[in-house]
Short mmCIF file of all heavy atoms in Angstrom, two decimals:
data_model
loop_
_atom_site.label_atom_id
_atom_site.label_comp_id
_atom_site.label_asym_id
_atom_site.label_seq_id
_atom_site.Cartn_x
_atom_site.Cartn_y
_atom_site.Cartn_z
N THR A 1566 -30.66 10.58 -81.30
CA THR A 1566 -29.34 11.12 -81.62
C THR A 1566 -29.47 12.60 -81.93
O THR A 1566 -30.33 13.01 -82.72
CB THR A 1566 -28.72 10.42 -82.84
OG1 THR A 1566 -28.72 9.01 -82.63
CG2 THR A 1566 -27.30 10.90 -83.09
N VAL A 1567 -28.62 13.40 -81.30
CA VAL A 1567 -28.53 14.83 -81.59
C VAL A 1567 -27.25 15.04 -82.39
O VAL A 1567 -26.17 14.63 -81.95
CB VAL A 1567 -28.51 15.67 -80.30
CG1 VAL A 1567 -28.36 17.16 -80.63
CG2 VAL A 1567 -29.78 15.43 -79.50
N MET A 1568 -27.35 15.68 -83.56
CA MET A 1568 -26.21 15.84 -84.46
C MET A 1568 -25.95 17.30 -84.79
O MET A 1568 -26.89 18.06 -85.02
CB MET A 1568 -26.45 15.06 -85.75
CG MET A 1568 -26.50 13.55 -85.56
SD MET A 1568 -27.23 12.69 -86.98
CE MET A 1568 -28.98 12.98 -86.68
N VAL A 1569 -24.68 17.66 -84.82
CA VAL A 1569 -24.26 18.99 -85.25
C VAL A 1569 -23.24 18.79 -86.37
O VAL A 1569 -22.27 18.05 -86.22
CB VAL A 1569 -23.63 19.79 -84.10
CG1 VAL A 1569 -23.20 21.17 -84.60
CG2 VAL A 1569 -24.61 19.93 -82.94
N ASP A 1570 -23.47 19.44 -87.49
CA ASP A 1570 -22.62 19.26 -88.67
C ASP A 1570 -21.52 20.32 -88.75
O ASP A 1570 -21.68 21.45 -88.25
CB ASP A 1570 -23.46 19.32 -89.94
CG ASP A 1570 -24.50 18.22 -90.01
OD1 ASP A 1570 -24.15 17.07 -89.71
OD2 ASP A 1570 -25.67 18.52 -90.37
N GLY A 1571 -20.41 19.93 -89.39
CA GLY A 1571 -19.40 20.90 -89.80
C GLY A 1571 -18.40 21.34 -88.75
O GLY A 1571 -17.64 22.28 -88.99
N LEU A 1572 -18.35 20.68 -87.59
CA LEU A 1572 -17.43 21.13 -86.54
C LEU A 1572 -16.01 20.60 -86.78
O LEU A 1572 -15.82 19.49 -87.26
CB LEU A 1572 -17.89 20.66 -85.17
CG LEU A 1572 -19.26 21.14 -84.68
CD1 LEU A 1572 -19.50 20.67 -83.25
CD2 LEU A 1572 -19.37 22.65 -84.77
N SER A 1573 -15.03 21.40 -86.41
CA SER A 1573 -13.65 20.95 -86.40
C SER A 1573 -13.47 19.99 -85.24
O SER A 1573 -14.30 19.98 -84.30
CB SER A 1573 -12.71 22.14 -86.23
OG SER A 1573 -12.86 22.69 -84.93
N PRO A 1574 -12.41 19.17 -85.24
CA PRO A 1574 -12.20 18.28 -84.08
C PRO A 1574 -12.14 19.03 -82.76
O PRO A 1574 -12.66 18.55 -81.75
CB PRO A 1574 -10.87 17.60 -84.42
CG PRO A 1574 -10.83 17.57 -85.91
CD PRO A 1574 -11.47 18.87 -86.34
N THR A 1575 -11.52 20.21 -82.74
CA THR A 1575 -11.43 20.99 -81.50
C THR A 1575 -12.80 21.40 -81.01
O THR A 1575 -13.15 21.24 -79.83
CB THR A 1575 -10.55 22.23 -81.70
OG1 THR A 1575 -9.22 21.81 -82.06
CG2 THR A 1575 -10.49 23.07 -80.44
N ASP A 1576 -13.63 21.95 -81.91
CA ASP A 1576 -14.98 22.37 -81.52
C ASP A 1576 -15.84 21.15 -81.19
O ASP A 1576 -16.70 21.21 -80.29
CB ASP A 1576 -15.62 23.18 -82.63
CG ASP A 1576 -15.03 24.58 -82.76
OD1 ASP A 1576 -14.39 25.03 -81.79
OD2 ASP A 1576 -15.18 25.20 -83.83
N ALA A 1577 -15.63 20.05 -81.92
CA ALA A 1577 -16.42 18.84 -81.67
C ALA A 1577 -16.15 18.30 -80.27
O ALA A 1577 -17.09 17.96 -79.53
CB ALA A 1577 -16.09 17.77 -82.71
N VAL A 1578 -14.87 18.24 -79.88
CA VAL A 1578 -14.54 17.74 -78.55
C VAL A 1578 -15.12 18.66 -77.48
O VAL A 1578 -15.61 18.21 -76.44
CB VAL A 1578 -13.01 17.60 -78.39
CG1 VAL A 1578 -12.63 17.37 -76.94
CG2 VAL A 1578 -12.50 16.46 -79.26
N SER A 1579 -15.13 19.96 -77.74
CA SER A 1579 -15.73 20.91 -76.81
C SER A 1579 -17.23 20.68 -76.70
O SER A 1579 -17.81 20.72 -75.60
CB SER A 1579 -15.44 22.34 -77.26
OG SER A 1579 -16.01 23.28 -76.37
N ALA A 1580 -17.88 20.43 -77.83
CA ALA A 1580 -19.33 20.17 -77.83
C ALA A 1580 -19.64 18.87 -77.09
O ALA A 1580 -20.60 18.80 -76.31
CB ALA A 1580 -19.85 20.11 -79.26
N LEU A 1581 -18.83 17.85 -77.32
CA LEU A 1581 -19.04 16.57 -76.64
C LEU A 1581 -18.88 16.73 -75.13
O LEU A 1581 -19.66 16.18 -74.35
CB LEU A 1581 -18.06 15.53 -77.17
CG LEU A 1581 -18.20 15.14 -78.65
CD1 LEU A 1581 -17.10 14.16 -79.06
CD2 LEU A 1581 -19.57 14.54 -78.95
N ALA A 1582 -17.86 17.49 -74.73
CA ALA A 1582 -17.63 17.72 -73.30
C ALA A 1582 -18.79 18.48 -72.67
O ALA A 1582 -19.21 18.20 -71.55
CB ALA A 1582 -16.32 18.47 -73.09
N THR A 1583 -19.32 19.46 -73.41
CA THR A 1583 -20.46 20.23 -72.92
C THR A 1583 -21.65 19.32 -72.69
O THR A 1583 -22.32 19.40 -71.65
CB THR A 1583 -20.83 21.33 -73.93
OG1 THR A 1583 -19.72 22.24 -74.08
CG2 THR A 1583 -22.05 22.10 -73.48
N ALA A 1584 -21.91 18.43 -73.64
CA ALA A 1584 -23.05 17.52 -73.51
C ALA A 1584 -22.84 16.52 -72.38
O ALA A 1584 -23.76 16.23 -71.60
CB ALA A 1584 -23.27 16.78 -74.83
N LEU A 1585 -21.61 15.98 -72.28
CA LEU A 1585 -21.33 15.01 -71.23
C LEU A 1585 -21.38 15.63 -69.84
O LEU A 1585 -21.66 14.93 -68.85
CB LEU A 1585 -19.96 14.37 -71.48
CG LEU A 1585 -19.89 13.40 -72.65
CD1 LEU A 1585 -18.44 13.05 -72.98
CD2 LEU A 1585 -20.69 12.13 -72.34
N GLY A 1586 -21.14 16.91 -69.75
CA GLY A 1586 -21.20 17.61 -68.47
C GLY A 1586 -22.60 18.08 -68.11
O GLY A 1586 -22.80 18.67 -67.05
N SER A 1587 -23.54 17.82 -68.99
CA SER A 1587 -24.92 18.26 -68.75
C SER A 1587 -25.66 17.21 -67.92
O SER A 1587 -25.18 16.10 -67.72
CB SER A 1587 -25.64 18.44 -70.09
OG SER A 1587 -25.98 17.17 -70.66
N PRO A 1588 -26.86 17.53 -67.46
CA PRO A 1588 -27.65 16.56 -66.68
C PRO A 1588 -28.51 15.65 -67.55
O PRO A 1588 -29.41 14.97 -67.03
CB PRO A 1588 -28.53 17.47 -65.81
CG PRO A 1588 -28.76 18.67 -66.66
CD PRO A 1588 -27.49 18.88 -67.44
N PHE A 1589 -28.24 15.59 -68.87
CA PHE A 1589 -29.16 14.90 -69.77
C PHE A 1589 -28.77 13.46 -70.10
O PHE A 1589 -29.26 12.87 -71.04
CB PHE A 1589 -29.33 15.73 -71.05
CG PHE A 1589 -29.81 17.14 -70.77
CD1 PHE A 1589 -29.08 18.23 -71.20
CD2 PHE A 1589 -30.96 17.35 -70.03
CE1 PHE A 1589 -29.50 19.52 -70.91
CE2 PHE A 1589 -31.38 18.63 -69.73
CZ PHE A 1589 -30.66 19.73 -70.17
N GLU A 1590 -27.85 12.90 -69.31
CA GLU A 1590 -27.54 11.46 -69.33
C GLU A 1590 -27.19 10.97 -70.73
O GLU A 1590 -27.81 10.06 -71.27
CB GLU A 1590 -28.70 10.66 -68.75
CG GLU A 1590 -28.99 11.01 -67.30
CD GLU A 1590 -30.12 10.18 -66.70
OE1 GLU A 1590 -30.30 9.03 -67.14
OE2 GLU A 1590 -30.82 10.70 -65.81
N VAL A 1591 -26.13 11.53 -71.29
CA VAL A 1591 -25.65 11.13 -72.61
C VAL A 1591 -25.03 9.75 -72.52
O VAL A 1591 -24.22 9.47 -71.64
CB VAL A 1591 -24.62 12.16 -73.13
CG1 VAL A 1591 -23.95 11.66 -74.39
CG2 VAL A 1591 -25.31 13.50 -73.36
N SER A 1592 -25.40 8.86 -73.45
CA SER A 1592 -24.86 7.48 -73.45
C SER A 1592 -24.02 7.19 -74.69
O SER A 1592 -23.62 6.05 -74.91
CB SER A 1592 -26.01 6.47 -73.36
OG SER A 1592 -26.80 6.50 -74.54
N GLY A 1593 -23.77 8.21 -75.49
CA GLY A 1593 -22.90 8.07 -76.65
C GLY A 1593 -22.43 9.45 -77.07
O GLY A 1593 -23.24 10.38 -77.11
N ALA A 1594 -21.12 9.58 -77.35
CA ALA A 1594 -20.58 10.89 -77.70
C ALA A 1594 -19.45 10.69 -78.70
O ALA A 1594 -18.35 10.28 -78.32
CB ALA A 1594 -20.08 11.62 -76.46
N ALA A 1595 -19.72 10.94 -79.98
CA ALA A 1595 -18.76 10.62 -81.03
C ALA A 1595 -18.66 11.74 -82.05
O ALA A 1595 -19.56 12.58 -82.18
CB ALA A 1595 -19.15 9.31 -81.71
N HIS A 1596 -17.56 11.72 -82.80
CA HIS A 1596 -17.34 12.69 -83.87
C HIS A 1596 -16.64 11.99 -85.03
O HIS A 1596 -15.67 11.27 -84.83
CB HIS A 1596 -16.48 13.86 -83.39
CG HIS A 1596 -16.09 14.81 -84.49
ND1 HIS A 1596 -16.99 15.69 -85.06
CD2 HIS A 1596 -14.89 15.02 -85.13
CE1 HIS A 1596 -16.36 16.40 -85.99
NE2 HIS A 1596 -15.10 16.01 -86.05
N ILE A 1597 -17.17 12.20 -86.23
CA ILE A 1597 -16.54 11.67 -87.44
C ILE A 1597 -16.16 12.85 -88.32
O ILE A 1597 -17.04 13.57 -88.81
CB ILE A 1597 -17.48 10.72 -88.21
CG1 ILE A 1597 -17.94 9.57 -87.32
CG2 ILE A 1597 -16.77 10.16 -89.45
CD1 ILE A 1597 -18.88 8.60 -87.99
N PRO A 1598 -14.86 13.11 -88.52
CA PRO A 1598 -14.44 14.25 -89.36
C PRO A 1598 -14.92 14.14 -90.80
O PRO A 1598 -15.04 15.16 -91.48
CB PRO A 1598 -12.91 14.19 -89.28
CG PRO A 1598 -12.63 13.50 -87.99
CD PRO A 1598 -13.71 12.47 -87.86
N GLU A 1599 -15.19 12.91 -91.25
CA GLU A 1599 -15.69 12.73 -92.61
C GLU A 1599 -16.86 11.76 -92.56
O GLU A 1599 -16.70 10.54 -92.59
CB GLU A 1599 -14.58 12.17 -93.51
CG GLU A 1599 -14.95 12.10 -94.98
CD GLU A 1599 -13.82 11.59 -95.85
OE1 GLU A 1599 -12.64 11.74 -95.44
OE2 GLU A 1599 -14.10 11.04 -96.93
N GLY A 1600 -18.07 12.32 -92.44
CA GLY A 1600 -19.26 11.52 -92.32
C GLY A 1600 -19.70 10.92 -93.64
O GLY A 1600 -19.00 11.02 -94.65
N PRO A 1601 -20.90 10.31 -93.66
CA PRO A 1601 -21.39 9.66 -94.87
C PRO A 1601 -21.46 10.58 -96.09
O PRO A 1601 -21.27 10.13 -97.22
CB PRO A 1601 -22.80 9.18 -94.45
CG PRO A 1601 -22.71 9.04 -92.97
CD PRO A 1601 -21.79 10.12 -92.51
N ASP A 1602 -21.73 11.87 -95.85
CA ASP A 1602 -21.81 12.81 -96.98
C ASP A 1602 -20.50 13.57 -97.18
O ASP A 1602 -20.45 14.54 -97.94
CB ASP A 1602 -22.97 13.79 -96.78
CG ASP A 1602 -22.81 14.63 -95.52
OD1 ASP A 1602 -21.84 14.39 -94.76
OD2 ASP A 1602 -23.65 15.53 -95.30
#
Side-chain angles (χ1 to χ4, degrees):
T1566 306
V1567 177
M1568 294 164 281
V1569 180
D1570 298 315
L1572 299 185
S1573 68
T1575 299
D1576 287 341
V1578 168
S1579 180
L1581 296 176
T1583 298
L1585 288 168
S1587 75
F1589 303 123
E1590 299 182 29
V1591 171
S1592 67
H1596 173 74
I1597 303 180
E1599 187 178 335
D1602 61 355

